[in-house]
Amino acid sequence: MEERNRTSLGIFTLLFILISISSFHLLRASDDPDDADDAIFYESFDENFEGRWTVSNKDDYNGVWKHEKSEGHDDYGLLVSEKARKYAIVKELKEPVTLKDETVVLQFEVRLQNGLECGGAYLKYLRPQGVGWTPKEFDNESPYTIMFGPDKCGNTNKVHFIIKHKNPKSGKYVEHHLKNPPSVPSDKLTHVYTAILKPNNGLRVLVDGEVKKKANFLSSDDFEPPLIPPKTIPDPDDKKPEDWDERAKIPDPDAVKPDDWDEDAPVEILDEEAKKPEGWLDDEPEEIDDPEATKPEDWDDEEDGEWEAPKIDNPKCDSAPGCGEWKRPMKKNPAYKGKWHAPLIDNPDYKGIWKPRDIPNPDYFELEKPDFEPIAAIGIEIWTMQDGILFDNILIANDDEEEDSDGGSAFLADLQAKVFELLYKIADIPFLSDYKFKLHDLIEKGEKQPNLTMGILVAIVVVLLTIFFKLISGGKKKPARVEKPRPASKESKAHQSGSDNEDSEKEETSAAAPRRRIRRD
C-alpha cells in the first residue's frame, strides 16, 4: 500500500509539473487587462452592455441584441438573437487610438453557436465621425478605418481585413482589401481573431493565436487595390493604328482546293452491304394495345373523345432481332471531307497584340507608411441569416512582443498534447475507475474548448489530488464532485514575452497577443 502511494504521488507530481509548464504561457496572459500598460480598451461583457454600448435607432436595424451566456459555459457575451435581421451597436472610446507609430493589436472572440450559413461576424473600427453625429445614428454608412472579422455567404468564406485609406492626392477614402485572407473555421466553438498592425507596415492576421496571413500594407501583392498606385498607366489617349495586324497566322493565299475535294458529300450514307437479320418480324408492330386495359366507367366519349387502350411493348419482339419495317442502317461516308479551308501560315505583317503605351501616372504618390485615421469607436454592423452569434472579449492593445520563431509555440503545443495523453492514461488507472467518466468529460472539454483549457487543467489537478489524499487517508472511494471551472482567461489579457525582429523575417507560426486563447482541436 505504501509503495502504491509513493508511485501515485510521483505520478501526480510529474503531472503537476507538466501542466504547470504547458500552461505557463496561459498564466502569463491571465492578468487583469485594466492593470496592464498595453491595454487600451477591453470589453468582457461580464456586465450588461446596456448603458455602455449604444444600439442604433435606424429603422433597418431591428435585430435584438442580448446579454447571454455562451451555450454550455458561464461566460457572458453579446448575442445575435434572431435570424434574418440587421444588427448595429457601437461603443465610443474615451480617446481615439492612433495607428501610426506603435504596434496595435485588434482582437475579439466569436462563437457561432448555430454555425454560419450566410452572414457576417466582423467588427468595424470607426474613425472620428462628422460634426453632429451621434452613436444612435450608427449604420453601414458610418465611415470606418478598419473592418475585421469572419464573413461567410455563398462563395464568400473569409476573415475580412479591409482598410479605408485617404488618398493624399484626391482626398477620397478608398477601400483596400487584404488579398487571400484566411477562411472561417467551420465548427461551433469559440475562436479568437487577432490583427496585429506593426509600425514597420507589417500586418499579421491570426486565428486562435496561429498566424494565418502575413502582409505588408504597402505591397501591391497584399492589398487590392494597392495603397500606392502604379508609377505608370496605359495612355488613355493612345489608339491602335488602323493598319496594325494582330493576326499571328493567316490562310495561305496561294493554296488551292484540290479538284477531287467534294464539299457536298454527306457525313453518313446508307450501308448497302447490310442485310436484314433472320427472324425479323416485319408484320409485328413494336408496340401493341395493352390487352389488360379496360375503358374507365366514367369515360364519356362525347366529352373525353374515343377511348384508346394504352400501349405496351410487343412481347413477340423480345425473342426476335426486331419488329416492324426493316431499314438499312447508316455508316460513315468515306468520301466526306467537309468544307475546304486554306492551311494557315505565319503572317508576315504580324506586329503582336497591341496595347497602349505607358505614361507616368498623374495620380502616383509615394508613401513611407499608411496614413491611418485613428479609431474613435468600435461598432458591430451586420446583416445575417443566422442567430446564435456571440461576440466576446473585444480588445485593443499595444503590444510590441511577438515570438520571433515557431519553436516555442510548437514545443508548447506538443507538450500540451503529451499532457492530455498522460491525463487520459491516469484516468484509466484501475483505482480511479469510480471517477473515470467524470475525468474523461473534463479532459475532453479541455481539448475542445480553448477558452477553458487552463481552468480545466487546474480543476483536474485539484480533483486528482483530492482523490489521492482520500485514498491514502483510507476514506471511501466515492465519486468526486467535479465543479465546472470558470474560464481562466475571462478576466485576462495576454502579455507574452519574446521579441519581434522584422528585419530578419524569421518564420512565425504563432504570435503573442493580449488575451490570446490557445486552441487545440
Side-chain angles (χ1 to χ4, degrees), residues 404-443:
D404 57 1
S405 70
D406 60 358
S409 177
F411 170 76
L412 289 172
D414 182 61
L415 187 58
Q416 278 191 318
K418 291 179 179 178
V419 167
F420 281 110
E421 182 179 354
L422 179 59
L423 287 172
Y424 278 117
K425 289 181 179 179
I426 292 175
D428 290 335
I429 293 175
F431 73 85
L432 294 177
S433 59
D434 290 342
Y435 312 91
K436 178 177 179 179
F437 293 109
K438 289 182 180 292
L439 290 172
H440 275 204
D441 181 61
L442 271 176
I443 297 168

mmCIF file of all heavy atoms in Angstrom, residues 404-443:
data_model
loop_
_atom_site.group_PDB
_atom_site.id
_atom_site.type_symbol
_atom_site.label_atom_id
_atom_site.label_comp_id
_atom_site.label_asym_id
_atom_site.label_seq_id
_atom_site.Cartn_x
_atom_site.Cartn_y
_atom_site.Cartn_z
ATOM 1 N N ASP A 404 9.582 35.384 -32.167
ATOM 2 C CA ASP A 404 10.361 35.536 -33.397
ATOM 3 C C ASP A 404 10.611 34.207 -34.080
ATOM 4 O O ASP A 404 11.332 34.135 -35.049
ATOM 5 C CB ASP A 404 11.704 36.219 -33.101
ATOM 6 C CG ASP A 404 12.520 35.455 -32.072
ATOM 7 O OD1 ASP A 404 12.046 34.407 -31.616
ATOM 8 O OD2 ASP A 404 13.631 35.923 -31.742
ATOM 9 N N SER A 405 10.046 33.141 -33.583
ATOM 10 C CA SER A 405 10.170 31.851 -34.262
ATOM 11 C C SER A 405 9.016 30.975 -33.830
ATOM 12 O O SER A 405 8.292 31.283 -32.900
ATOM 13 C CB SER A 405 11.509 31.187 -33.913
ATOM 14 O OG SER A 405 11.502 30.774 -32.569
ATOM 15 N N ASP A 406 8.896 29.848 -34.540
ATOM 16 C CA ASP A 406 7.788 28.948 -34.209
ATOM 17 C C ASP A 406 8.210 27.865 -33.233
ATOM 18 O O ASP A 406 7.412 27.022 -32.854
ATOM 19 C CB ASP A 406 7.219 28.294 -35.479
ATOM 20 C CG ASP A 406 8.264 27.480 -36.226
ATOM 21 O OD1 ASP A 406 9.424 27.461 -35.780
ATOM 22 O OD2 ASP A 406 7.902 26.870 -37.247
ATOM 23 N N GLY A 407 9.466 27.862 -32.800
ATOM 24 C CA GLY A 407 9.955 26.797 -31.936
ATOM 25 C C GLY A 407 9.219 26.744 -30.623
ATOM 26 O O GLY A 407 8.797 25.690 -30.161
ATOM 27 N N GLY A 408 9.068 27.901 -29.939
ATOM 28 C CA GLY A 408 8.425 27.916 -28.635
ATOM 29 C C GLY A 408 6.991 27.485 -28.707
ATOM 30 O O GLY A 408 6.513 26.695 -27.892
ATOM 31 N N SER A 409 6.271 27.977 -29.707
ATOM 32 C CA SER A 409 4.858 27.622 -29.842
ATOM 33 C C SER A 409 4.686 26.147 -30.142
ATOM 34 O O SER A 409 3.821 25.482 -29.591
ATOM 35 C CB SER A 409 4.225 28.471 -30.943
ATOM 36 O OG SER A 409 2.899 28.106 -31.140
ATOM 37 N N ALA A 410 5.529 25.621 -31.048
ATOM 38 C CA ALA A 410 5.433 24.205 -31.400
ATOM 39 C C ALA A 410 5.745 23.335 -30.197
ATOM 40 O O ALA A 410 5.104 22.307 -29.963
ATOM 41 C CB ALA A 410 6.383 23.893 -32.561
ATOM 42 N N PHE A 411 6.751 23.754 -29.412
ATOM 43 C CA PHE A 411 7.109 22.991 -28.220
ATOM 44 C C PHE A 411 5.946 22.941 -27.234
ATOM 45 O O PHE A 411 5.613 21.885 -26.687
ATOM 46 C CB PHE A 411 8.335 23.618 -27.565
ATOM 47 C CG PHE A 411 8.646 23.051 -26.201
ATOM 48 C CD1 PHE A 411 9.240 21.796 -26.065
ATOM 49 C CD2 PHE A 411 8.332 23.761 -25.054
ATOM 50 C CE1 PHE A 411 9.513 21.277 -24.817
ATOM 51 C CE2 PHE A 411 8.609 23.240 -23.805
ATOM 52 C CZ PHE A 411 9.206 21.996 -23.688
ATOM 53 N N LEU A 412 5.300 24.106 -27.003
ATOM 54 C CA LEU A 412 4.187 24.156 -26.059
ATOM 55 C C LEU A 412 3.015 23.320 -26.540
ATOM 56 O O LEU A 412 2.363 22.631 -25.763
ATOM 57 C CB LEU A 412 3.755 25.607 -25.839
ATOM 58 C CG LEU A 412 4.735 26.468 -25.036
ATOM 59 C CD1 LEU A 412 4.288 27.917 -25.049
ATOM 60 C CD2 LEU A 412 4.868 25.969 -23.621
ATOM 61 N N ALA A 413 2.739 23.388 -27.854
ATOM 62 C CA ALA A 413 1.629 22.603 -28.395
ATOM 63 C C ALA A 413 1.894 21.113 -28.225
ATOM 64 O O ALA A 413 1.008 20.337 -27.854
ATOM 65 C CB ALA A 413 1.416 22.945 -29.866
ATOM 66 N N ASP A 414 3.144 20.692 -28.505
ATOM 67 C CA ASP A 414 3.499 19.289 -28.359
ATOM 68 C C ASP A 414 3.422 18.869 -26.894
ATOM 69 O O ASP A 414 2.948 17.779 -26.557
ATOM 70 C CB ASP A 414 4.907 19.067 -28.905
ATOM 71 C CG ASP A 414 5.331 17.607 -28.839
ATOM 72 O OD1 ASP A 414 4.654 16.777 -29.472
ATOM 73 O OD2 ASP A 414 6.309 17.312 -28.141
ATOM 74 N N LEU A 415 3.866 19.763 -26.007
ATOM 75 C CA LEU A 415 3.840 19.451 -24.585
ATOM 76 C C LEU A 415 2.408 19.312 -24.079
ATOM 77 O O LEU A 415 2.091 18.406 -23.306
ATOM 78 C CB LEU A 415 4.578 20.539 -23.813
ATOM 79 C CG LEU A 415 4.792 20.285 -22.304
ATOM 80 C CD1 LEU A 415 5.556 18.990 -22.090
ATOM 81 C CD2 LEU A 415 5.532 21.454 -21.683
ATOM 82 N N GLN A 416 1.528 20.209 -24.544
ATOM 83 C CA GLN A 416 0.128 20.104 -24.135
ATOM 84 C C GLN A 416 -0.494 18.794 -24.609
ATOM 85 O O GLN A 416 -1.264 18.159 -23.895
ATOM 86 C CB GLN A 416 -0.676 21.289 -24.680
ATOM 87 C CG GLN A 416 -0.542 22.538 -23.839
ATOM 88 C CD GLN A 416 -1.550 23.582 -24.248
ATOM 89 O OE1 GLN A 416 -1.793 23.811 -25.426
ATOM 90 N NE2 GLN A 416 -2.144 24.230 -23.280
ATOM 91 N N ALA A 417 -0.148 18.375 -25.836
ATOM 92 C CA ALA A 417 -0.674 17.111 -26.352
ATOM 93 C C ALA A 417 -0.239 15.950 -25.459
ATOM 94 O O ALA A 417 -1.016 15.038 -25.163
ATOM 95 C CB ALA A 417 -0.197 16.898 -27.787
ATOM 96 N N LYS A 418 1.022 15.997 -25.005
ATOM 97 C CA LYS A 418 1.516 14.933 -24.132
ATOM 98 C C LYS A 418 0.820 14.976 -22.769
ATOM 99 O O LYS A 418 0.571 13.934 -22.156
ATOM 100 C CB LYS A 418 3.019 15.063 -23.973
ATOM 101 C CG LYS A 418 3.791 14.756 -25.254
ATOM 102 C CD LYS A 418 5.294 14.914 -25.066
ATOM 103 C CE LYS A 418 6.028 14.580 -26.358
ATOM 104 N NZ LYS A 418 7.496 14.758 -26.230
ATOM 105 N N VAL A 419 0.534 16.191 -22.288
ATOM 106 C CA VAL A 419 -0.163 16.327 -21.005
ATOM 107 C C VAL A 419 -1.535 15.673 -21.074
ATOM 108 O O VAL A 419 -1.937 14.904 -20.196
ATOM 109 C CB VAL A 419 -0.285 17.809 -20.594
ATOM 110 C CG1 VAL A 419 -1.264 17.963 -19.437
ATOM 111 C CG2 VAL A 419 1.072 18.361 -20.203
ATOM 112 N N PHE A 420 -2.299 15.966 -22.150
ATOM 113 C CA PHE A 420 -3.636 15.387 -22.281
ATOM 114 C C PHE A 420 -3.552 13.868 -22.430
ATOM 115 O O PHE A 420 -4.396 13.125 -21.913
ATOM 116 C CB PHE A 420 -4.378 16.011 -23.456
ATOM 117 C CG PHE A 420 -4.959 17.361 -23.160
ATOM 118 C CD1 PHE A 420 -4.442 18.505 -23.745
ATOM 119 C CD2 PHE A 420 -6.019 17.501 -22.280
ATOM 120 C CE1 PHE A 420 -4.969 19.755 -23.452
ATOM 121 C CE2 PHE A 420 -6.558 18.738 -21.990
ATOM 122 C CZ PHE A 420 -6.029 19.867 -22.581
ATOM 123 N N GLU A 421 -2.542 13.392 -23.168
ATOM 124 C CA GLU A 421 -2.375 11.948 -23.309
ATOM 125 C C GLU A 421 -2.111 11.314 -21.944
ATOM 126 O O GLU A 421 -2.663 10.250 -21.614
ATOM 127 C CB GLU A 421 -1.206 11.667 -24.257
ATOM 128 C CG GLU A 421 -0.977 10.183 -24.514
ATOM 129 C CD GLU A 421 0.176 9.948 -25.478
ATOM 130 O OE1 GLU A 421 0.705 10.943 -26.022
ATOM 131 O OE2 GLU A 421 0.544 8.777 -25.668
ATOM 132 N N LEU A 422 -1.275 11.960 -21.142
ATOM 133 C CA LEU A 422 -0.991 11.458 -19.800
ATOM 134 C C LEU A 422 -2.231 11.482 -18.917
ATOM 135 O O LEU A 422 -2.484 10.557 -18.133
ATOM 136 C CB LEU A 422 0.136 12.285 -19.175
ATOM 137 C CG LEU A 422 0.547 11.917 -17.736
ATOM 138 C CD1 LEU A 422 1.005 10.468 -17.669
ATOM 139 C CD2 LEU A 422 1.638 12.857 -17.242
ATOM 140 N N LEU A 423 -3.036 12.541 -19.053
ATOM 141 C CA LEU A 423 -4.269 12.646 -18.265
ATOM 142 C C LEU A 423 -5.212 11.482 -18.553
ATOM 143 O O LEU A 423 -5.823 10.905 -17.639
ATOM 144 C CB LEU A 423 -4.965 13.976 -18.548
ATOM 145 C CG LEU A 423 -4.326 15.233 -17.953
ATOM 146 C CD1 LEU A 423 -5.020 16.484 -18.476
ATOM 147 C CD2 LEU A 423 -4.396 15.203 -16.435
ATOM 148 N N TYR A 424 -5.350 11.130 -19.841
ATOM 149 C CA TYR A 424 -6.221 10.005 -20.189
ATOM 150 C C TYR A 424 -5.695 8.695 -19.577
ATOM 151 O O TYR A 424 -6.477 7.857 -19.105
ATOM 152 C CB TYR A 424 -6.319 9.864 -21.715
ATOM 153 C CG TYR A 424 -7.315 10.788 -22.348
ATOM 154 C CD1 TYR A 424 -6.916 11.766 -23.261
ATOM 155 C CD2 TYR A 424 -8.676 10.694 -22.062
ATOM 156 C CE1 TYR A 424 -7.828 12.626 -23.850
ATOM 157 C CE2 TYR A 424 -9.603 11.539 -22.648
ATOM 158 C CZ TYR A 424 -9.168 12.507 -23.540
ATOM 159 O OH TYR A 424 -10.072 13.350 -24.119
ATOM 160 N N LYS A 425 -4.382 8.525 -19.595
ATOM 161 C CA LYS A 425 -3.807 7.305 -19.023
ATOM 162 C C LYS A 425 -4.057 7.242 -17.514
ATOM 163 O O LYS A 425 -4.382 6.189 -16.968
ATOM 164 C CB LYS A 425 -2.310 7.248 -19.319
ATOM 165 C CG LYS A 425 -1.988 6.979 -20.794
ATOM 166 C CD LYS A 425 -0.491 6.900 -21.025
ATOM 167 C CE LYS A 425 -0.190 6.601 -22.493
ATOM 168 N NZ LYS A 425 1.263 6.539 -22.743
ATOM 169 N N ILE A 426 -3.892 8.391 -16.844
ATOM 170 C CA ILE A 426 -4.140 8.424 -15.406
ATOM 171 C C ILE A 426 -5.605 8.133 -15.088
ATOM 172 O O ILE A 426 -5.932 7.406 -14.150
ATOM 173 C CB ILE A 426 -3.707 9.783 -14.825
ATOM 174 C CG1 ILE A 426 -2.182 9.924 -14.901
ATOM 175 C CG2 ILE A 426 -4.184 9.964 -13.403
ATOM 176 C CD1 ILE A 426 -1.665 11.278 -14.473
ATOM 177 N N ALA A 427 -6.521 8.689 -15.908
ATOM 178 C CA ALA A 427 -7.953 8.464 -15.679
ATOM 179 C C ALA A 427 -8.332 7.004 -15.833
ATOM 180 O O ALA A 427 -9.352 6.555 -15.299
ATOM 181 C CB ALA A 427 -8.770 9.329 -16.631
ATOM 182 N N ASP A 428 -7.499 6.236 -16.576
ATOM 183 C CA ASP A 428 -7.788 4.819 -16.800
ATOM 184 C C ASP A 428 -7.137 3.908 -15.755
ATOM 185 O O ASP A 428 -7.258 2.675 -15.844
ATOM 186 C CB ASP A 428 -7.298 4.404 -18.196
ATOM 187 C CG ASP A 428 -8.149 5.033 -19.299
ATOM 188 O OD1 ASP A 428 -9.315 5.350 -19.023
ATOM 189 O OD2 ASP A 428 -7.640 5.201 -20.426
ATOM 190 N N ILE A 429 -6.431 4.482 -14.764
ATOM 191 C CA ILE A 429 -5.848 3.671 -13.691
ATOM 192 C C ILE A 429 -6.987 2.980 -12.931
ATOM 193 O O ILE A 429 -7.993 3.615 -12.577
ATOM 194 C CB ILE A 429 -5.014 4.546 -12.736
ATOM 195 C CG1 ILE A 429 -3.783 5.091 -13.476
ATOM 196 C CG2 ILE A 429 -4.580 3.752 -11.509
ATOM 197 C CD1 ILE A 429 -2.962 6.067 -12.648
ATOM 198 N N PRO A 430 -6.871 1.684 -12.669
ATOM 199 C CA PRO A 430 -7.985 0.925 -12.060
ATOM 200 C C PRO A 430 -8.535 1.539 -10.791
ATOM 201 O O PRO A 430 -9.760 1.586 -10.602
ATOM 202 C CB PRO A 430 -7.357 -0.454 -11.802
ATOM 203 C CG PRO A 430 -6.310 -0.582 -12.865
ATOM 204 C CD PRO A 430 -5.737 0.791 -13.034
ATOM 205 N N PHE A 431 -7.674 2.020 -9.863
ATOM 206 C CA PHE A 431 -8.216 2.502 -8.589
ATOM 207 C C PHE A 431 -8.917 3.857 -8.733
ATOM 208 O O PHE A 431 -9.472 4.382 -7.788
ATOM 209 C CB PHE A 431 -7.137 2.539 -7.494
ATOM 210 C CG PHE A 431 -6.122 3.649 -7.633
ATOM 211 C CD1 PHE A 431 -6.378 4.920 -7.138
ATOM 212 C CD2 PHE A 431 -4.904 3.405 -8.240
ATOM 213 C CE1 PHE A 431 -5.433 5.923 -7.253
ATOM 214 C CE2 PHE A 431 -3.967 4.407 -8.349
ATOM 215 C CZ PHE A 431 -4.226 5.672 -7.858
ATOM 216 N N LEU A 432 -8.923 4.427 -9.988
ATOM 217 C CA LEU A 432 -9.693 5.647 -10.247
ATOM 218 C C LEU A 432 -10.945 5.348 -11.070
ATOM 219 O O LEU A 432 -11.566 6.258 -11.616
ATOM 220 C CB LEU A 432 -8.822 6.666 -11.012
ATOM 221 C CG LEU A 432 -7.614 7.250 -10.270
ATOM 222 C CD1 LEU A 432 -6.839 8.179 -11.186
ATOM 223 C CD2 LEU A 432 -8.065 8.000 -9.024
ATOM 224 N N SER A 433 -11.320 4.070 -11.168
ATOM 225 C CA SER A 433 -12.430 3.678 -12.047
ATOM 226 C C SER A 433 -13.742 4.378 -11.697
ATOM 227 O O SER A 433 -14.558 4.659 -12.573
ATOM 228 C CB SER A 433 -12.616 2.153 -11.996
ATOM 229 O OG SER A 433 -12.879 1.738 -10.658
ATOM 230 N N ASP A 434 -13.961 4.661 -10.400
ATOM 231 C CA ASP A 434 -15.205 5.320 -9.996
ATOM 232 C C ASP A 434 -15.287 6.755 -10.519
ATOM 233 O O ASP A 434 -16.372 7.356 -10.551
ATOM 234 C CB ASP A 434 -15.324 5.334 -8.466
ATOM 235 C CG ASP A 434 -15.579 3.942 -7.903
ATOM 236 O OD1 ASP A 434 -15.996 3.061 -8.693
ATOM 237 O OD2 ASP A 434 -15.352 3.732 -6.697
ATOM 238 N N TYR A 435 -14.157 7.316 -10.885
ATOM 239 C CA TYR A 435 -14.110 8.723 -11.304
ATOM 240 C C TYR A 435 -13.804 8.864 -12.806
ATOM 241 O O TYR A 435 -13.659 9.970 -13.327
ATOM 242 C CB TYR A 435 -13.027 9.475 -10.516
ATOM 243 C CG TYR A 435 -13.084 9.231 -9.034
ATOM 244 C CD1 TYR A 435 -12.358 8.190 -8.452
ATOM 245 C CD2 TYR A 435 -13.865 10.035 -8.215
ATOM 246 C CE1 TYR A 435 -12.414 7.958 -7.083
ATOM 247 C CE2 TYR A 435 -13.927 9.814 -6.847
ATOM 248 C CZ TYR A 435 -13.202 8.765 -6.281
ATOM 249 O OH TYR A 435 -13.261 8.546 -4.946
ATOM 250 N N LYS A 436 -13.681 7.723 -13.486
ATOM 251 C CA LYS A 436 -13.191 7.718 -14.864
ATOM 252 C C LYS A 436 -14.005 8.602 -15.800
ATOM 253 O O LYS A 436 -13.461 9.430 -16.538
ATOM 254 C CB LYS A 436 -13.175 6.286 -15.396
ATOM 255 C CG LYS A 436 -12.716 6.163 -16.847
ATOM 256 C CD LYS A 436 -12.656 4.700 -17.266
ATOM 257 C CE LYS A 436 -12.217 4.560 -18.718
ATOM 258 N NZ LYS A 436 -12.120 3.138 -19.130
ATOM 259 N N PHE A 437 -15.327 8.456 -15.785
ATOM 260 C CA PHE A 437 -16.148 9.168 -16.753
ATOM 261 C C PHE A 437 -16.158 10.664 -16.484
ATOM 262 O O PHE A 437 -16.153 11.485 -17.412
ATOM 263 C CB PHE A 437 -17.574 8.601 -16.756
ATOM 264 C CG PHE A 437 -17.642 7.202 -17.266
ATOM 265 C CD1 PHE A 437 -17.900 6.140 -16.413
ATOM 266 C CD2 PHE A 437 -17.424 6.925 -18.610
ATOM 267 C CE1 PHE A 437 -17.952 4.840 -16.885
ATOM 268 C CE2 PHE A 437 -17.483 5.626 -19.090
ATOM 269 C CZ PHE A 437 -17.741 4.578 -18.226
ATOM 270 N N LYS A 438 -16.160 11.055 -15.204
ATOM 271 C CA LYS A 438 -16.118 12.483 -14.882
ATOM 272 C C LYS A 438 -14.788 13.094 -15.339
ATOM 273 O O LYS A 438 -14.748 14.203 -15.870
ATOM 274 C CB LYS A 438 -16.324 12.686 -13.377
ATOM 275 C CG LYS A 438 -17.745 12.400 -12.895
ATOM 276 C CD LYS A 438 -17.876 12.676 -11.404
ATOM 277 C CE LYS A 438 -19.303 12.397 -10.927
ATOM 278 N NZ LYS A 438 -20.258 13.358 -11.469
ATOM 279 N N LEU A 439 -13.705 12.353 -15.112
ATOM 280 C CA LEU A 439 -12.396 12.847 -15.534
ATOM 281 C C LEU A 439 -12.293 12.940 -17.052
ATOM 282 O O LEU A 439 -11.772 13.906 -17.600
ATOM 283 C CB LEU A 439 -11.292 11.928 -14.988
ATOM 284 C CG LEU A 439 -11.066 11.992 -13.465
ATOM 285 C CD1 LEU A 439 -10.101 10.902 -13.032
ATOM 286 C CD2 LEU A 439 -10.558 13.366 -13.045
ATOM 287 N N HIS A 440 -12.804 11.931 -17.765
ATOM 288 C CA HIS A 440 -12.794 11.970 -19.225
ATOM 289 C C HIS A 440 -13.574 13.178 -19.745
ATOM 290 O O HIS A 440 -13.167 13.824 -20.719
ATOM 291 C CB HIS A 440 -13.386 10.676 -19.787
ATOM 292 C CG HIS A 440 -12.393 9.577 -19.892
ATOM 293 N ND1 HIS A 440 -12.521 8.522 -20.757
ATOM 294 C CD2 HIS A 440 -11.213 9.363 -19.236
ATOM 295 C CE1 HIS A 440 -11.507 7.700 -20.635
ATOM 296 N NE2 HIS A 440 -10.694 8.184 -19.715
ATOM 297 N N ASP A 441 -14.706 13.453 -19.117
ATOM 298 C CA ASP A 441 -15.524 14.597 -19.540
ATOM 299 C C ASP A 441 -14.747 15.900 -19.388
ATOM 300 O O ASP A 441 -14.749 16.760 -20.273
ATOM 301 C CB ASP A 441 -16.804 14.644 -18.719
ATOM 302 C CG ASP A 441 -17.706 15.789 -19.141
ATOM 303 O OD1 ASP A 441 -18.132 15.807 -20.310
ATOM 304 O OD2 ASP A 441 -17.979 16.673 -18.311
ATOM 305 N N LEU A 442 -14.063 16.051 -18.257
ATOM 306 C CA LEU A 442 -13.262 17.262 -18.036
ATOM 307 C C LEU A 442 -12.122 17.380 -19.050
ATOM 308 O O LEU A 442 -11.862 18.447 -19.606
ATOM 309 C CB LEU A 442 -12.681 17.249 -16.616
ATOM 310 C CG LEU A 442 -13.532 17.866 -15.502
ATOM 311 C CD1 LEU A 442 -12.851 17.685 -14.169
ATOM 312 C CD2 LEU A 442 -13.799 19.336 -15.770
ATOM 313 N N ILE A 443 -11.440 16.269 -19.288
ATOM 314 C CA ILE A 443 -10.299 16.285 -20.214
ATOM 315 C C ILE A 443 -10.759 16.645 -21.618
ATOM 316 O O ILE A 443 -10.120 17.432 -22.332
ATOM 317 C CB ILE A 443 -9.580 14.926 -20.200
ATOM 318 C CG1 ILE A 443 -8.998 14.647 -18.808
ATOM 319 C CG2 ILE A 443 -8.450 14.910 -21.233
ATOM 320 C CD1 ILE A 443 -8.532 13.214 -18.613
#
